[in-house]
Amino acid sequence: VQLQASGGGVVQAGGSLRLSCASSGRFFSGNGMAWFRQAPGKEREFVAGDTRSGGSTVYADSVKGRFTFSRDNAKTTLFLQMNSLQPDDTAVYYCAARSGSLSIRAVSNAGNYYYWGQGTLVTVSS
């Protein structure tokens, strides 16, 4: 399974970006996916994900109301719409995939994901 993230860049605080993650078609549908991020000097953290394709979506508290997780199964692409960006959102963003479904609580655990994209850098200037 190959995941290719794109869409990162430099944006001013308050701006928006849309990240995309292209995935292998056979794997994409029916399986859960997520976005994680890692800021300089910090551990990787969960951003948003779903319990399964078409299931519940879970967001980190820090991005609720600002970020929107979505997927287009026909195009086998995952998206992350990021609005009202703040300097604290500066990080490398990774898409991740796994087989099967997870509980809402387990969606945020990076250890449950088998496949990872290469990451795309988002820089938010103040």
Side-chain angles (χ1 to χ4, degrees), residues 46-51 56-60 69 103-105 107-108:
F46 171 76
V47 176
D50 56 11
T51 55
S56 300
T57 302
V58 181
Y59 293 94
F69 174 100
S103 67
I104 289 177
R105 180 176 296 182
V107 167
S108 59

Side-chain angles (χ1 to χ4, degrees), residues 37 45-48 58-69 80-83 85 88-89 93:
R37 67 186 181 185
E45 65 174 2
F46 171 76
V47 176
V58 181
Y59 293 94
D61 288 343
S62 60
V63 306
K64 280 181 182 176
R66 300 188 299 122
F67 291 11
T68 302
F69 174 100
L80 185 67
Q81 177 66 44
M82 305 185 296
N83 299 327
L85 284 162
D88 284 350
D89 295 317
Y93 284 70

Side-chain angles (χ1 to χ4, degrees), residues 5 18-19 24 32 36 39 41 56 67 69 81 83 88-89 101-102 106 118-119 121 123-124:
R18 188 192 196 203
L19 304 183
S24 304
F36 289 78
S56 300
F67 291 11
F69 174 100
Q81 177 66 44
N83 299 327
D88 284 350
D89 295 317
S101 61
L102 290 174
Q118 85 288 0
L121 176 62
T123 303
V124 184

Side-chain angles (χ1 to χ4, degrees), residues 9-15 85-90 122-126:
V10 180
V11 63
Q12 289 188 333
L85 284 162
Q86 300 300 318
D88 284 350
D89 295 317
T90 294
V122 173
T123 303
V124 184
S125 60
S126 57

Side-chain angles (χ1 to χ4, degrees), residues 3 6-7 11 23-24 26-27 36 47 54-55 70 86 94 105 109 114 120:
L3 302 175
S6 62
V11 63
S23 174
S24 304
R26 178 174 294 182
F27 182 85
F36 289 78
V47 176
S70 64
Q86 300 300 318
Y94 299 89
R105 180 176 296 182
N109 185 343
Y114 311 138
T120 184

